[in-house]
Amino acid sequence: DFGSIKTELSNNNIEFLDMMELFSSRMDEKEIWKYYWKEDGHFTPKGNELFAEGVENYLLNSRHLID
């Protein structure tokens, strides 16, 4: 499960971005299909926007970008 993967990454000082926290905080279970296609579970345009926002915030608030 993802919890054990997160634990292993943390224990080995491997940085990762947990997008589940962002998605869980932004959407209600009743609205999940606004973010994922019912047919195959891939992101819809709205899901891609939220994912991109998460990556952008992560990069802007981390030491990975150089001015």
Side-chain angles (χ1 to χ4, degrees):
D1 74 25
F2 189 61
S4 61
I5 293 170
K6 286 173 56 173
T7 300
E8 280 298 311
L9 292 171
S10 294
N11 288 344
N12 289 287
N13 296 318
I14 300 171
E15 194 170 343
F16 62 95
L17 176 57
D18 183 357
M19 298 301 283
M20 290 303 297
E21 291 178 12
L22 174 64
F23 274 79
S24 296
S25 71
R26 291 288 189 87
M27 72 175 150
D28 187 298
E29 282 188 35
K30 293 175 252 171
E31 297 182 332
I32 193 169
W33 301 121
K34 291 181 180 179
Y35 297 89
Y36 297 96
W37 294 112
K38 291 180 183 179
E39 295 81 17
D40 63 14
H42 286 87
F43 293 139
T44 63
K46 187 171 182 138
N48 278 306
E49 286 179 34
L50 183 56
F51 186 88
E53 180 184 324
V55 172
E56 177 186 38
N57 288 336
Y58 171 77
L59 291 173
L60 290 173
N61 294 309
S62 70
R63 60 191 182 287
H64 298 292
L65 295 179
I66 300 171
D67 291 327

